[in-house]
Structures are given as structure tokens and as C-alpha cells.
mmCIF file of all heavy atoms in Angstrom:
data_model
loop_
_atom_site.group_PDB
_atom_site.id
_atom_site.type_symbol
_atom_site.label_atom_id
_atom_site.label_comp_id
_atom_site.label_asym_id
_atom_site.label_seq_id
_atom_site.Cartn_x
_atom_site.Cartn_y
_atom_site.Cartn_z
ATOM 1 N N GLY A 1 -15.866 3.571 -11.061
ATOM 2 C CA GLY A 1 -14.856 3.443 -12.071
ATOM 3 C C GLY A 1 -13.516 3.502 -11.378
ATOM 4 O O GLY A 1 -13.379 3.354 -10.081
ATOM 5 N N PRO A 2 -12.445 3.743 -12.167
ATOM 6 C CA PRO A 2 -11.092 3.772 -11.537
ATOM 7 C C PRO A 2 -10.889 4.777 -10.522
ATOM 8 O O PRO A 2 -10.135 4.563 -9.555
ATOM 9 C CB PRO A 2 -10.208 3.985 -12.767
ATOM 10 C CG PRO A 2 -11.043 3.582 -13.880
ATOM 11 C CD PRO A 2 -12.468 3.821 -13.544
ATOM 12 N N ASP A 3 -11.488 6.004 -10.649
ATOM 13 C CA ASP A 3 -11.348 6.998 -9.625
ATOM 14 C C ASP A 3 -11.870 6.555 -8.240
ATOM 15 O O ASP A 3 -11.337 6.870 -7.276
ATOM 16 C CB ASP A 3 -12.012 8.324 -10.152
ATOM 17 C CG ASP A 3 -11.311 8.879 -11.431
ATOM 18 O OD1 ASP A 3 -10.134 8.540 -11.558
ATOM 19 O OD2 ASP A 3 -12.072 9.525 -12.202
ATOM 20 N N TRP A 4 -13.137 5.953 -8.341
ATOM 21 C CA TRP A 4 -13.742 5.480 -7.087
ATOM 22 C C TRP A 4 -12.877 4.382 -6.450
ATOM 23 O O TRP A 4 -12.696 4.383 -5.205
ATOM 24 C CB TRP A 4 -15.157 4.903 -7.346
ATOM 25 C CG TRP A 4 -15.840 4.447 -6.129
ATOM 26 C CD1 TRP A 4 -16.521 5.226 -5.292
ATOM 27 C CD2 TRP A 4 -15.917 3.165 -5.714
ATOM 28 N NE1 TRP A 4 -17.033 4.489 -4.307
ATOM 29 C CE2 TRP A 4 -16.713 3.185 -4.503
ATOM 30 C CE3 TRP A 4 -15.458 1.892 -6.148
ATOM 31 C CZ2 TRP A 4 -17.029 2.048 -3.789
ATOM 32 C CZ3 TRP A 4 -15.780 0.808 -5.369
ATOM 33 C CH2 TRP A 4 -16.514 0.865 -4.223
ATOM 34 N N VAL A 5 -12.361 3.486 -7.245
ATOM 35 C CA VAL A 5 -11.454 2.416 -6.675
ATOM 36 C C VAL A 5 -10.254 3.029 -6.046
ATOM 37 O O VAL A 5 -9.815 2.615 -4.996
ATOM 38 C CB VAL A 5 -11.112 1.385 -7.761
ATOM 39 C CG1 VAL A 5 -10.097 0.428 -7.337
ATOM 40 C CG2 VAL A 5 -12.323 0.641 -8.266
ATOM 41 N N ALA A 6 -9.624 4.031 -6.740
ATOM 42 C CA ALA A 6 -8.479 4.720 -6.199
ATOM 43 C C ALA A 6 -8.768 5.344 -4.798
ATOM 44 O O ALA A 6 -7.993 5.405 -3.885
ATOM 45 C CB ALA A 6 -7.810 5.573 -7.168
ATOM 46 N N ALA A 7 -9.956 6.024 -4.745
ATOM 47 C CA ALA A 7 -10.431 6.729 -3.545
ATOM 48 C C ALA A 7 -10.634 5.725 -2.440
ATOM 49 O O ALA A 7 -10.449 6.098 -1.237
ATOM 50 C CB ALA A 7 -11.689 7.534 -3.776
ATOM 51 N N GLN A 8 -10.970 4.468 -2.696
ATOM 52 C CA GLN A 8 -11.202 3.456 -1.649
ATOM 53 C C GLN A 8 -9.927 2.871 -1.220
ATOM 54 O O GLN A 8 -9.938 2.196 -0.154
ATOM 55 C CB GLN A 8 -12.085 2.297 -2.260
ATOM 56 C CG GLN A 8 -13.506 2.760 -2.635
ATOM 57 C CD GLN A 8 -14.261 3.299 -1.348
ATOM 58 O OE1 GLN A 8 -14.217 2.661 -0.334
ATOM 59 N NE2 GLN A 8 -14.934 4.338 -1.540
ATOM 60 N N GLY A 9 -8.807 3.010 -1.946
ATOM 61 C CA GLY A 9 -7.551 2.534 -1.502
ATOM 62 C C GLY A 9 -7.079 1.322 -2.273
ATOM 63 O O GLY A 9 -6.233 0.587 -1.834
ATOM 64 N N GLY A 10 -7.742 1.078 -3.413
ATOM 65 C CA GLY A 10 -7.304 -0.089 -4.196
ATOM 66 C C GLY A 10 -8.408 -1.057 -4.478
ATOM 67 O O GLY A 10 -9.479 -0.996 -3.845
ATOM 68 N N ASN A 11 -8.095 -2.053 -5.341
ATOM 69 C CA ASN A 11 -9.113 -3.047 -5.691
ATOM 70 C C ASN A 11 -9.593 -3.921 -4.506
ATOM 71 O O ASN A 11 -10.766 -4.127 -4.311
ATOM 72 C CB ASN A 11 -8.477 -4.039 -6.767
ATOM 73 C CG ASN A 11 -8.632 -3.493 -8.125
ATOM 74 O OD1 ASN A 11 -9.293 -2.543 -8.436
ATOM 75 N ND2 ASN A 11 -7.787 -4.006 -9.027
ATOM 76 N N ILE A 12 -8.623 -4.317 -3.643
ATOM 77 C CA ILE A 12 -8.913 -5.287 -2.609
ATOM 78 C C ILE A 12 -9.776 -4.560 -1.561
ATOM 79 O O ILE A 12 -10.768 -5.088 -1.069
ATOM 80 C CB ILE A 12 -7.700 -5.866 -2.016
ATOM 81 C CG1 ILE A 12 -6.951 -6.716 -3.081
ATOM 82 C CG2 ILE A 12 -8.026 -6.725 -0.798
ATOM 83 C CD1 ILE A 12 -5.617 -7.137 -2.679
ATOM 84 N N ARG A 13 -9.411 -3.407 -1.216
ATOM 85 C CA ARG A 13 -10.151 -2.609 -0.204
ATOM 86 C C ARG A 13 -11.632 -2.375 -0.704
ATOM 87 O O ARG A 13 -12.599 -2.427 0.026
ATOM 88 C CB ARG A 13 -9.524 -1.417 0.264
ATOM 89 C CG ARG A 13 -10.185 -0.677 1.385
ATOM 90 C CD ARG A 13 -9.400 0.409 1.964
ATOM 91 N NE ARG A 13 -8.269 -0.280 2.731
ATOM 92 C CZ ARG A 13 -7.225 0.406 3.150
ATOM 93 N NH1 ARG A 13 -7.102 1.691 2.961
ATOM 94 N NH2 ARG A 13 -6.296 -0.246 3.887
ATOM 95 N N ALA A 14 -11.667 -1.920 -1.941
ATOM 96 C CA ALA A 14 -12.907 -1.642 -2.532
ATOM 97 C C ALA A 14 -13.895 -2.871 -2.596
ATOM 98 O O ALA A 14 -15.062 -2.863 -2.292
ATOM 99 C CB ALA A 14 -12.839 -0.981 -3.957
ATOM 100 N N LEU A 15 -13.249 -3.974 -3.004
ATOM 101 C CA LEU A 15 -14.024 -5.303 -3.049
ATOM 102 C C LEU A 15 -14.513 -5.661 -1.632
ATOM 103 O O LEU A 15 -15.643 -6.147 -1.502
ATOM 104 C CB LEU A 15 -13.092 -6.392 -3.665
ATOM 105 C CG LEU A 15 -13.760 -7.777 -3.655
ATOM 106 C CD1 LEU A 15 -14.901 -7.830 -4.641
ATOM 107 C CD2 LEU A 15 -12.747 -8.863 -4.050
ATOM 108 N N GLY A 16 -13.580 -5.601 -0.720
ATOM 109 C CA GLY A 16 -13.946 -5.897 0.688
ATOM 110 C C GLY A 16 -15.139 -5.063 1.265
ATOM 111 O O GLY A 16 -16.032 -5.558 1.891
ATOM 112 N N ARG A 17 -15.034 -3.761 0.886
ATOM 113 C CA ARG A 17 -16.025 -2.885 1.360
ATOM 114 C C ARG A 17 -17.364 -3.232 0.728
ATOM 115 O O ARG A 17 -18.443 -3.234 1.454
ATOM 116 C CB ARG A 17 -15.686 -1.461 1.033
ATOM 117 C CG ARG A 17 -16.462 -0.433 1.754
ATOM 118 C CD ARG A 17 -15.993 1.005 1.457
ATOM 119 N NE ARG A 17 -14.564 1.128 1.753
ATOM 120 C CZ ARG A 17 -13.995 1.581 2.811
ATOM 121 N NH1 ARG A 17 -14.788 2.021 3.786
ATOM 122 N NH2 ARG A 17 -12.664 1.658 3.004
ATOM 123 N N LEU A 18 -17.423 -3.511 -0.529
ATOM 124 C CA LEU A 18 -18.683 -3.867 -1.225
ATOM 125 C C LEU A 18 -19.147 -5.233 -0.782
ATOM 126 O O LEU A 18 -20.405 -5.415 -0.611
ATOM 127 C CB LEU A 18 -18.496 -3.824 -2.752
ATOM 128 C CG LEU A 18 -18.475 -2.438 -3.387
ATOM 129 C CD1 LEU A 18 -18.133 -2.566 -4.876
ATOM 130 C CD2 LEU A 18 -19.753 -1.691 -3.189
ATOM 131 N N LEU A 19 -18.265 -6.169 -0.671
ATOM 132 C CA LEU A 19 -18.635 -7.548 -0.342
ATOM 133 C C LEU A 19 -19.227 -7.638 1.115
ATOM 134 O O LEU A 19 -20.254 -8.285 1.340
ATOM 135 C CB LEU A 19 -17.402 -8.500 -0.415
ATOM 136 C CG LEU A 19 -17.719 -9.928 -0.067
ATOM 137 C CD1 LEU A 19 -18.603 -10.565 -1.077
ATOM 138 C CD2 LEU A 19 -16.367 -10.693 -0.053
ATOM 139 N N PHE A 20 -18.720 -6.949 2.037
ATOM 140 C CA PHE A 20 -19.149 -7.067 3.473
ATOM 141 C C PHE A 20 -20.160 -5.984 3.773
ATOM 142 O O PHE A 20 -20.589 -5.891 4.932
ATOM 143 C CB PHE A 20 -17.955 -7.032 4.366
ATOM 144 C CG PHE A 20 -17.142 -8.295 4.273
ATOM 145 C CD1 PHE A 20 -15.781 -8.326 3.789
ATOM 146 C CD2 PHE A 20 -17.721 -9.511 4.605
ATOM 147 C CE1 PHE A 20 -15.104 -9.426 3.668
ATOM 148 C CE2 PHE A 20 -16.947 -10.761 4.399
ATOM 149 C CZ PHE A 20 -15.646 -10.665 3.960
ATOM 150 N N THR A 21 -20.608 -5.096 2.897
ATOM 151 C CA THR A 21 -21.697 -4.222 3.155
ATOM 152 C C THR A 21 -22.926 -4.650 2.314
ATOM 153 O O THR A 21 -23.883 -5.166 2.834
ATOM 154 C CB THR A 21 -21.332 -2.813 2.833
ATOM 155 O OG1 THR A 21 -20.933 -2.666 1.483
ATOM 156 C CG2 THR A 21 -20.335 -2.269 3.822
ATOM 157 N N ARG A 22 -22.817 -4.578 0.969
ATOM 158 C CA ARG A 22 -23.959 -4.898 0.152
ATOM 159 C C ARG A 22 -24.176 -6.414 -0.102
ATOM 160 O O ARG A 22 -25.212 -6.864 -0.332
ATOM 161 C CB ARG A 22 -23.853 -4.228 -1.185
ATOM 162 C CG ARG A 22 -23.959 -2.767 -1.178
ATOM 163 C CD ARG A 22 -23.911 -2.173 -2.568
ATOM 164 N NE ARG A 22 -23.776 -0.786 -2.591
ATOM 165 C CZ ARG A 22 -23.542 -0.102 -3.618
ATOM 166 N NH1 ARG A 22 -23.406 -0.620 -4.830
ATOM 167 N NH2 ARG A 22 -23.431 1.265 -3.572
ATOM 168 N N GLY A 23 -22.971 -7.145 -0.182
ATOM 169 C CA GLY A 23 -23.111 -8.486 -0.517
ATOM 170 C C GLY A 23 -22.899 -9.505 0.550
ATOM 171 O O GLY A 23 -22.573 -10.733 0.349
ATOM 172 N N LEU A 24 -23.089 -9.127 1.829
ATOM 173 C CA LEU A 24 -22.876 -9.996 2.884
ATOM 174 C C LEU A 24 -23.917 -11.164 2.952
ATOM 175 O O LEU A 24 -23.538 -12.332 3.124
ATOM 176 C CB LEU A 24 -22.844 -9.251 4.262
ATOM 177 C CG LEU A 24 -22.598 -10.101 5.500
ATOM 178 C CD1 LEU A 24 -21.125 -10.638 5.384
ATOM 179 C CD2 LEU A 24 -22.734 -9.337 6.747
ATOM 180 N N LEU A 25 -25.106 -10.881 2.822
ATOM 181 C CA LEU A 25 -26.143 -11.885 2.787
ATOM 182 C C LEU A 25 -25.955 -12.950 1.686
ATOM 183 O O LEU A 25 -25.996 -14.115 1.902
ATOM 184 C CB LEU A 25 -27.609 -11.289 2.774
ATOM 185 C CG LEU A 25 -28.737 -12.352 2.824
ATOM 186 C CD1 LEU A 25 -28.682 -13.027 4.133
ATOM 187 C CD2 LEU A 25 -30.030 -11.547 2.650
ATOM 188 N N PRO A 26 -25.864 -12.513 0.429
ATOM 189 C CA PRO A 26 -25.626 -13.536 -0.662
ATOM 190 C C PRO A 26 -24.314 -14.335 -0.419
ATOM 191 O O PRO A 26 -24.317 -15.480 -0.723
ATOM 192 C CB PRO A 26 -25.461 -12.672 -1.946
ATOM 193 C CG PRO A 26 -26.177 -11.387 -1.670
ATOM 194 C CD PRO A 26 -26.008 -11.212 -0.165
#
């Protein structure tokens, strides 16, 4: 949720972290 996104440093950093860890193969 919004608290997790804020802890990650914002939308772009959270998206990058998810994309290049869990979503790298797809």
C-alpha cells in the first residue's frame, strides 16, 4: 500500500525494485 511505497522511496523506486527482482524474467 501507500506506506510500503513511501518506505521504498516513492513510486519509481518501488516499481524498479519489483520489476528487477520479481519481474525480471517476464
Side-chain angles (χ1 to χ4, degrees):
D3 296 331
W4 182 81
V5 171
Q8 296 296 318
N11 279 342
I12 297 173
R13 185 168 289 166
L15 174 69
R17 193 175 310 261
L18 284 174
L19 180 65
F20 291 114
T21 55
R22 293 184 189 171
L24 184 62
L25 181 65

